[in-house]
Amino acid sequence: MDERAFKTRNGTEGVEIIDLACHKIPLLRSQIQINFSDSFSNKSDAWIEKSIKLIWDEKCQENNRLYNKSKFRFDSIAIYNDHQVVINLGLTTYMELIGTNCHPFGKELVVHGIKCFKNGRSCLADPLGVGCLLLTADDKFLFLKRAMWTGEDKGKLDRPGGHPEPDNISLAIQSWTEEECRKPENLRRIRDEIFDSVIHEVRDEVNLPMETIKDPVLLGVIRSLERSGRPSAEFLVWCSLTSEEVEELYSKNCQAEADESIGIVFISEENIRKQDLEQHVWNNLTDAACGAIELYSRSYSISPNKH
């Protein structure tokens, strides 16, 4: 797939948008297939692992709330028969994300990847993140102000998001055979984990009951150039509650991940769709939020609540 750089308005290097122009956007869960294989995992060797571990230990000394877990690694997207979108995934870890995409060492690995594997991304973690633009019943989008202790984008405005978790599929997923990786049941479970993780993040970050959240639709995939092309799948999620009702639930501060944010901001659907925001708002948005807004404005000419 083509990846096209897009200069965001938040003052960073911008994002790349993975072009799905040949397919109708947004995409339903049923339109997505997964191709899962160890061949899509990041390449490594002893010196890379040692360097990443040193970076990780240093970051953990600065922030003792960091913890390492396996993540799905995004390799690429393919479209078959002009109607089925296939996401190619391997495995990586959060530690490798911090030591590659989120660290200057990543630039050295790009050179190494080109030299040794003819692919500059081959040694980068590239974990698949997920995020969503959450649209309320009264046509407002919700953004979270990230807590200062978080590992990335401290104090920035962001959409609800996180990562799908391989351990939710199987604690033994790292040792799956190629036959197990190809099983249709396992591939469906991985796809569902990606979509379900979006709903779970909304529940755990915003405190919304699951029954108030509709199934996510995929707007597209972006890469943050500020973080060596870190990928995230961006979704649109409808909520049956008004912004006032959402704010009341959020303010109870009893959700599982309440400490990851310190407040919420609502922005009208029209302003997001038309990208009509004050510059100080753009400056506070994360790359992923800017990419999600761009994808949304490309997908809708009127509010989806009015369709």
Side-chain angles (χ1 to χ4, degrees):
M1 300 301 298
D2 292 333
E3 299 188 10
R4 300 177 182 178
F6 170 76
K7 187 66 176 176
T8 53
R9 303 186 199 179
N10 62 348
T12 70
E13 293 181 37
V15 300
E16 285 180 343
I17 293 179
I18 297 177
D19 184 18
L20 295 176
C22 60
H23 204 290
K24 187 176 180 181
I25 302 295
L27 298 168
L28 303 175
R29 185 186 296 239
S30 61
Q31 294 173 281
I32 301 296
Q33 288 186 356
I34 301 298
N35 185 14
F36 180 63
S37 170
D38 186 57
S39 65
F40 298 129
S41 299
N42 46 312
K43 307 295 189 291
S44 191
D45 58 28
W47 74 272
I48 294 176
E49 291 175 2
K50 182 178 179 180
S51 299
I52 290 174
K53 184 63 166 59
L54 288 172
I55 294 168
W56 175 253
D57 289 344
E58 180 182 326
K59 292 296 182 182
C60 287
Q61 288 179 2
E62 298 171 1
N63 184 352
N64 61 13
R65 300 181 70 169
L66 294 178
Y67 61 95
N68 189 30
K69 287 189 76 173
S70 64
K71 303 296 176 187
F72 289 110
R73 181 178 186 268
F74 175 82
D75 180 82
S76 56
I77 284 180
I79 294 180
Y80 295 102
N81 301 323
D82 199 32
H83 70 281
Q84 192 69 52
V85 175
V86 179
I87 303 177
N88 297 318
L89 297 176
L91 288 175
T92 187
T93 66
Y94 189 71
M95 177 173 68
E96 290 170 290
L97 164 67
I98 296 300
T100 62
N101 294 81
C102 295
H103 192 274
F105 180 55
K107 298 185 186 301
E108 184 177 341
L109 290 181
V110 170
V111 176
H112 178 73
I114 293 172
K115 179 181 178 181
C116 296
F117 304 104
K118 298 182 180 180
N119 181 348
R121 309 212 63 82
S122 58
C123 298
L124 297 176
D126 281 354
L128 179 67
V130 296
C132 74
L133 291 178
L134 179 66
L135 184 60
T136 63
D138 54 342
D139 251 12
K140 294 180 181 178
F141 281 113
L142 175 144
F143 294 87
L144 297 155
K145 186 170 184 180
R146 292 178 60 81
M148 295 305 293
W149 70 264
T150 52
E152 303 172 68
D153 296 315
K154 301 175 177 65
K156 291 279 192 177
L157 284 180
D158 200 9
R159 76 283 183 264
H163 298 90
E165 302 293 348
D167 287 351
N168 289 342
I169 308 299
S170 170
L171 294 177
I173 194 171
Q174 291 89 348
S175 57
W176 275 4
T177 64
E178 280 300 310
E179 182 181 358
E180 289 174 302
C181 290
R182 291 194 297 267
K183 278 187 177 181
E185 178 187 354
N186 287 337
L187 297 176
R188 282 194 299 270
R189 290 170 64 199
I190 293 172
R191 180 201 62 186
D192 289 344
E193 169 61 18
I194 293 170
F195 276 76
D196 291 346
S197 68
V198 179
I199 300 172
H200 295 156
E201 291 294 343
V202 172
R203 177 196 64 192
D204 295 343
E205 293 185 347
V206 189
N207 198 31
L208 298 191
M210 300 274 282
E211 61 269 19
T212 68
I213 308 165
K214 292 186 179 181
D215 203 45
V217 294
L218 179 64
L219 296 172
V221 179
I222 65 168
R223 291 187 183 273
S224 170
L225 298 180
E226 193 87 351
R227 292 191 172 87
S228 299
R230 181 189 178 172
S232 62
E234 301 300 328
F235 293 81
L236 172 65
V237 173
W238 287 272
C239 171
S240 62
L241 304 176
T242 66
S243 56
E244 184 176 346
E245 291 169 327
V246 170
E247 187 165 16
E248 182 179 352
L249 288 169
Y250 174 84
S251 64
K252 290 182 178 180
N253 206 37
C254 60
Q255 56 267 38
E257 298 176 1
D259 63 339
E260 292 190 4
S261 64
I262 57 175
I264 55 176
V265 171
F266 292 98
I267 302 176
S268 76
E269 185 278 335
E270 183 177 12
N271 282 54
I272 292 296
R273 176 165 36 85
K274 295 181 177 180
Q275 301 195 37
D276 183 16
L277 307 176
E278 298 287 341
Q279 188 57 48
H280 71 90
V281 177
W282 283 116
N283 292 343
N284 279 323
L285 288 170
T286 64
D287 278 357
C290 290
I293 290 171
E294 175 65 20
L295 288 170
Y296 178 78
S297 65
R298 292 183 183 190
S299 301
Y300 291 95
S301 56
I302 63 171
S303 168
N305 279 342
K306 298 175 181 177
H307 282 183

